Amino acid sequence: MGFDLWFLLAVGFSFSGYAVYLMGLRRQTVRPNRASWLIWAASTGLEALTYAAVNPGAPQGWVFAVSSVACLAVTLGIWRRSSWAPPSNTETFCIAACMTSLVVWLVFRETFWAHMLVVAAVPVSFWPTWVSAMQDRSRERSPAWGLWTFGDLATLLVAVRAGQPGVAELSYVLIEFLCHASVWFMIGLATINPLRSFGVRRGGLFFLDRFKPQSGMFRVDETHLGKAVFAAANFNEGDTLIEFTGRRFRADQVPSLMSGEGDRFVQVTPDHYMGPSGRIDDLVNHSCAPNAGLRFTDEGVFLVAIRAILKGEEIAWDYSTTLRESNWHMICQCRSPECRRVIGNFDSLDPAAQEFFRARNLVAPYLRRTDDVVRKRRAS
């Protein structure tokens, strides 16, 4: 009975982890590393085929089969939702090393050293995900990692209680357990709040609410720039749309080269930026003819409509309204008739536009200064 219970727990935790991760991928609350999932999809598929051939009809075979299908679904989902980018040198090395170990294992799978080679490849396959999670924990903030950790622990107990488990099998499960637990630790436990690894945010489950329709007000779709936020209802001028959140960074911590929603940084003081939140606010694009602007209050930073917004219209704001750095610029592709071609700091805006945003309190706090106005009055 004990064996059956631990086996059911292992299966339940593992499958729940895949279900939650697939839900996070669909809602875009996770940004998985493609290299790691390509390796996992290949390895779990080969493992399932080999186990079915060696142990036909065994219940574990169904576990491996479903896991391989889930890994393949995640991998296909990642490729479908992302634009092509060449793998980094680290990712290329990890893919080549792990694929080589799998091929060697297929050829010499009856030998002990071939099994140990696959065991050694497990942490290598996790390396791209570790790098991604260490750069930004929000990329992998999903309850799936905790569920997989518990599932691996239950699998380890099943293997130990089953009798005399093989060293290779036991080593594989143990290393996989440590790999899952390490990602879980980086995401949640390292923040001194274990619940964060399960996605708890302000009393709710973070992984359920990122793209959850807010009373049917917004939808996420694709444009020539990638993902964008569109109004799913009509808004009036002055309506509060979306709260902008994210970890604070010093200016010297902001990457010099940026692209994509994972690189959204908003300058909130002369020396600090608000980084990406991993939520829908990361997907709001720039426009030289914006229909919204950022308002900084004591309660938070909010995107506010600066004119009436019709259902189906893309929501956008002007990046220059929070920027002071004189050496920053961005080639603009908003395609609006008013497009400035090159986006610079706040001072690069037309004086009338500066006054428009300042009058409506839609600039960063440090840009609200009226020193120049006072000096001009004194001079006159």
Side-chain angles (χ1 to χ4, degrees), residues 18 32 43 68 91 103 150 178 192 201 210 241 261 274 337:
Y18 282 114
S43 60
S68 65
E91 292 171 343
V103 171
F150 293 141
L178 294 175
I192 320 301
R201 175 185 173 84
R210 180 181 178 189
L241 306 175
E261 72 259 17
M274 176 195 294

Side-chain angles (χ1 to χ4, degrees), residues 56-83:
Q60 291 90 332
W62 290 103
V63 177
F64 290 132
V66 174
S67 296
S68 65
V69 172
C71 283
L72 182 61
V74 173
T75 305
L76 292 176
I78 297 170
W79 250 265
R80 186 174 66 86
R81 292 180 178 273
S82 60
S83 57

Side-chain angles (χ1 to χ4, degrees), residues 236-242 266-267 290-297 300-307 309 316-323 346 349 353-368:
N236 297 319
E237 180 181 347
D239 284 351
T240 299
L241 306 175
I242 299 169
V266 176
Q267 192 170 7
N291 51 22
L294 284 186
R295 177 167 294 161
F296 293 74
T297 70
V301 181
F302 299 91
L303 192 68
V304 177
I306 61 176
R307 62 169 174 78
I309 301 176
W317 62 288
D318 195 321
Y319 290 176
S320 296
T321 56
T322 66
L323 289 167
F346 187 70
L349 287 175
Q354 294 182 30
E355 178 58 28
F356 175 89
F357 289 110
R358 275 181 168 148
R360 289 161 178 77
N361 191 19
L362 296 174
V363 295
Y366 65 94
L367 294 175
R368 297 173 188 162

Side-chain angles (χ1 to χ4, degrees), residues 117-283:
L117 190 63
V118 174
V119 171
V122 174
V124 176
S125 70
F126 270 84
W127 183 254
T129 291
W130 285 332
V131 173
S132 180
M134 290 186 72
Q135 290 174 345
D136 183 356
R137 287 191 297 270
S138 67
R139 292 175 181 171
E140 293 289 351
R141 186 172 291 164
S142 170
W145 294 103
L147 294 170
W148 285 326
T149 301
F150 293 141
D152 289 340
L153 180 59
T155 303
L156 197 59
L157 292 174
V158 169
V160 171
R161 293 164 63 92
Q164 297 293 328
V167 175
E169 179 183 3
L170 204 57
S171 300
Y172 183 88
V173 177
L174 178 62
I175 290 179
E176 191 170 11
F177 164 74
L178 294 175
C179 289
H180 280 136
S182 64
V183 178
W184 186 30
F185 178 85
M186 280 189 290
I187 298 167
L189 301 186
T191 64
I192 320 301
N193 181 359
L195 291 178
R196 289 186 184 176
S197 60
F198 277 96
V200 173
R201 175 185 173 84
R202 296 184 182 178
L205 285 176
F206 177 85
F207 81 100
L208 288 176
D209 71 359
R210 180 181 178 189
F211 286 149
K212 182 178 68 176
Q214 303 181 32
S215 303
M217 293 193 296
F218 308 105
R219 64 180 176 85
V220 176
D221 211 333
E222 297 281 341
T223 68
H224 65 286
L225 296 173
K227 292 182 176 62
V229 179
F230 291 82
N234 295 329
F235 294 96
N236 297 319
E237 180 181 347
D239 284 351
T240 299
L241 306 175
I242 299 169
E243 181 181 5
F244 272 49
T245 59
R247 177 185 167 195
R248 298 299 173 96
F249 292 84
R250 297 193 312 272
D252 59 358
Q253 295 176 309
V254 177
S256 57
L257 297 176
M258 297 183 286
S259 62
E261 72 259 17
D263 295 325
R264 189 273 286 157
F265 287 85
V266 176
Q267 192 170 7
V268 293
T269 76
D271 303 312
H272 294 87
Y273 289 75
M274 176 195 294
S277 66
R279 307 185 74 189
I280 194 171
D281 49 300
D282 292 350
L283 306 180

